[in-house]
Amino acid sequence: MAYWLLKSEPDVFGWDHLVANGVSEWDGVRNYQARNFMRDMAVGDKAFFYHSRTGLEIVGIMDIAATAHPDSTAEDPKWVCVDVRADRPFPNAVILEQIKQDASLTDMVLVKNSRLSVQPVTPAEWDRILTLGGF
DNA sequence: GCCAACGTTGGC
DNA sequence: GCCAACGTTGGC
């Protein structure tokens, strides 16, 4: 099982939307690096849900519910998306500032490459975030 | 809302 | 195949 982090602007599609919708397509990704990570995802993998632009915090944990398939919102079938479902929200959202100040998280892709919207998370990073978030 | 960082496109 | 121009992302 692998760990990931997925970003979305809460004004467009936030945690509450995911909870309300149930299993949802993580569509709209138009970046090759991000797409390639989605192709690596397996059912049962876990992912953090990060609110970008507004919020700047990790708000919850998702399950990967289906592997990559063509993105119905894209004209070109080269763009794919996975399906996700909400697992559980964090008791305390983990804010970006907190992550940047944590010595064990300085190598996170979230910090090093802030523009990548789909990214891998190491087991050590995953565990640390869980602790910071109150699990 | 601004703009730096980054990715993509297209003329040469 | 280089690189300038352009578009997008996302922190601030």
Side-chain angles (χ1 to χ4, degrees), chain A residues 37-50:
Chain A
F37 283 132
M38 285 203 292
R39 292 201 297 208
D40 290 340
M41 292 180 186
V43 172
D45 282 1
K46 295 282 189 180
F48 289 136
F49 193 125
Y50 176 80

Side-chain angles (χ1 to χ4, degrees), chain A residues 58-80:
Chain A
I58 296 172
V59 293
I61 299 172
M62 298 181 278
D63 292 310
I64 304 304
T67 52
H69 55 84
D71 182 339
S72 60
T73 68
E75 289 182 22
D76 192 328
K78 73 181 178 185
W79 298 116
V80 299

